[in-house]
Amino acid sequence: GGPIDSSAIAQYYGCNAPESDDDDNDDEDGSDKEEQEKTKKEMEEQRKLLRTSLLRKTEALSALMFDSDTADDPDGDNNKDNKEKYEETMKELKRWVGSTADFSDDKDKWAYSRLLSRDARFMRNKTGTSLSLLRKARKDMKQDFYREITSEITEVLKSIKGTDHWLTQIEEDLFERYPVAKQKL
């Protein structure tokens, strides 16, 4: 297949970072290393902000697509525009975020998991994948989000025939974890 274009390969796949004992490019006073660290810190901060902003934008479009009255009218012009915007933004988000580990905040991790689950369920018609993503999120996340994740799992299970026993089990589990106690008058 012709000559190997190493610069094209490096651009496509990226390269390994230089080893820390590479002192060939350092100035005697270490200013090059300080500059590299400063640039790295700035780039990481910008990437974090980009990921977070794409997450928020996709969440907003997801709410328009799946949580509102427009979700009932899939053929409406407004919904078609929202669907196109949502798909573009979700594609861009997936391009910049590899997994929930790319987010430092637990709320962002849960939001990303929820987006992936809803995308699988509503846009790709993959209910099993949606359920799998939610169950993985519930396993990986702190207990703070257990109720929210379980609520989302319940919504997915309601759309699947023959899962009444799972719904009953989840309901019993929630009552056991979060007992409802009546206050004395």
Side-chain angles (χ1 to χ4, degrees):
I4 297 174
D5 187 358
S6 61
S7 62
I9 294 170
Q11 185 178 8
Y12 185 79
Y13 288 108
C15 294
N16 293 334
E19 293 188 24
S20 60
D21 60 338
D22 268 352
D23 294 332
D24 298 340
N25 296 333
D26 289 345
D27 292 341
E28 290 181 21
D29 61 357
S31 63
D32 191 35
K33 191 171 189 172
E34 290 174 8
E35 183 68 29
Q36 288 176 351
E37 288 176 6
K38 182 180 175 185
T39 303
K40 179 182 178 186
K41 186 176 180 180
E42 286 176 6
M43 289 295 130
E44 286 175 351
E45 184 65 28
Q46 287 182 14
R47 182 174 65 180
K48 181 180 176 182
L49 289 171
L50 175 66
R51 287 173 171 166
T52 304
S53 64
L54 284 170
L55 178 68
R56 297 292 176 256
K57 184 177 179 181
T58 310
E59 276 186 301
L61 290 168
S62 171
L64 285 174
M65 291 290 299
F66 310 130
D67 295 340
S68 66
D69 296 331
T70 58
D72 297 333
D73 182 21
D75 297 326
D77 290 336
N78 194 21
N79 206 30
K80 286 182 183 178
D81 292 341
N82 289 339
K83 182 178 178 180
E84 289 174 11
K85 290 177 187 175
Y86 169 81
E87 287 177 341
E88 286 175 25
T89 309
M90 188 64 171
K91 184 177 180 181
E92 188 72 12
L93 179 65
K94 286 180 179 178
R95 190 170 145 223
W96 286 101
V97 179
S99 71
T100 56
D102 290 339
F103 293 105
S104 56
D105 186 33
D106 285 339
K107 287 183 180 181
D108 291 342
K109 290 178 181 184
W110 164 228
Y112 185 65
S113 294
R114 183 176 49 226
L115 278 172
L116 289 177
S117 170
R118 289 181 175 187
D119 185 65
R121 179 176 170 205
F122 294 116
M123 302 301 286
R124 314 280 175 250
N125 201 22
K126 295 184 177 182
T127 309
T129 301
S130 174
L131 188 60
S132 169
L133 289 166
L134 290 171
R135 291 174 60 92
K136 182 181 183 315
R138 186 169 67 176
K139 183 177 133 188
D140 294 344
M141 299 292 291
K142 293 181 180 178
Q143 291 297 314
D144 301 346
F145 299 98
Y146 189 87
R147 261 189 175 164
E148 286 181 63
I149 297 170
T150 302
S151 173
E152 194 78 19
I153 289 172
T154 302
E155 291 301 314
V156 174
L157 287 174
K158 286 179 182 176
S159 69
I160 303 172
K161 292 180 182 176
T163 57
D164 295 337
H165 59 289
W166 279 1
L167 291 168
T168 305
Q169 184 180 9
I170 287 173
E171 188 176 302
E172 289 172 0
D173 178 53
L174 285 176
F175 281 132
E176 188 176 309
R177 286 177 185 264
Y178 308 103
V180 179
K182 294 185 179 181
Q183 293 182 353
K184 294 180 182 179
L185 297 176

PDB file of all heavy atoms in Angstrom, residues 33 52 80 99 125:
ATOM      1  N   LYS A  33      10.146  23.098  30.483  1.00  0.00           N
ATOM      2  CA  LYS A  33       9.320  22.133  31.223  1.00  0.00           C
ATOM      3  C   LYS A  33       8.164  22.854  31.921  1.00  0.00           C
ATOM      4  O   LYS A  33       7.039  22.360  31.926  1.00  0.00           O
ATOM      5  CB  LYS A  33      10.182  21.380  32.226  1.00  0.00           C
ATOM      6  CG  LYS A  33       9.490  20.203  32.845  1.00  0.00           C
ATOM      7  CD  LYS A  33      10.450  19.378  33.662  1.00  0.00           C
ATOM      8  CE  LYS A  33       9.779  18.091  34.079  1.00  0.00           C
ATOM      9  NZ  LYS A  33      10.726  17.188  34.711  1.00  0.00           N
ATOM     10  N   THR A  52     -17.945  19.410  29.734  1.00  0.00           N
ATOM     11  CA  THR A  52     -19.070  19.809  30.578  1.00  0.00           C
ATOM     12  C   THR A  52     -20.099  20.602  29.795  1.00  0.00           C
ATOM     13  O   THR A  52     -21.308  20.371  29.938  1.00  0.00           O
ATOM     14  CB  THR A  52     -18.567  20.623  31.787  1.00  0.00           C
ATOM     15  OG1 THR A  52     -17.590  19.846  32.497  1.00  0.00           O
ATOM     16  CG2 THR A  52     -19.703  20.964  32.735  1.00  0.00           C
ATOM     17  N   LYS A  80     -38.290  17.400  14.670  1.00  0.00           N
ATOM     18  CA  LYS A  80     -37.267  16.996  13.693  1.00  0.00           C
ATOM     19  C   LYS A  80     -36.023  17.858  13.839  1.00  0.00           C
ATOM     20  O   LYS A  80     -34.897  17.354  13.783  1.00  0.00           O
ATOM     21  CB  LYS A  80     -37.815  17.085  12.277  1.00  0.00           C
ATOM     22  CG  LYS A  80     -38.779  15.970  11.940  1.00  0.00           C
ATOM     23  CD  LYS A  80     -39.267  16.072  10.517  1.00  0.00           C
ATOM     24  CE  LYS A  80     -40.291  14.967  10.232  1.00  0.00           C
ATOM     25  NZ  LYS A  80     -40.820  15.071   8.880  1.00  0.00           N
ATOM     26  N   SER A  99     -15.773   7.763  28.552  1.00  0.00           N
ATOM     27  CA  SER A  99     -16.529   7.055  29.584  1.00  0.00           C
ATOM     28  C   SER A  99     -16.858   8.027  30.704  1.00  0.00           C
ATOM     29  O   SER A  99     -16.418   9.181  30.694  1.00  0.00           O
ATOM     30  CB  SER A  99     -15.720   5.876  30.130  1.00  0.00           C
ATOM     31  OG  SER A  99     -14.643   6.354  30.911  1.00  0.00           O
ATOM     32  N   ASN A 125     -33.403   2.393  19.766  1.00  0.00           N
ATOM     33  CA  ASN A 125     -34.362   1.315  20.045  1.00  0.00           C
ATOM     34  C   ASN A 125     -33.661   0.076  20.625  1.00  0.00           C
ATOM     35  O   ASN A 125     -33.947  -1.052  20.260  1.00  0.00           O
ATOM     36  CB  ASN A 125     -35.158   0.952  18.789  1.00  0.00           C
ATOM     37  CG  ASN A 125     -36.448   0.247  19.127  1.00  0.00           C
ATOM     38  OD1 ASN A 125     -36.964   0.372  20.231  1.00  0.00           O
ATOM     39  ND2 ASN A 125     -36.972  -0.500  18.182  1.00  0.00           N
TER      40      ASN A 125
END
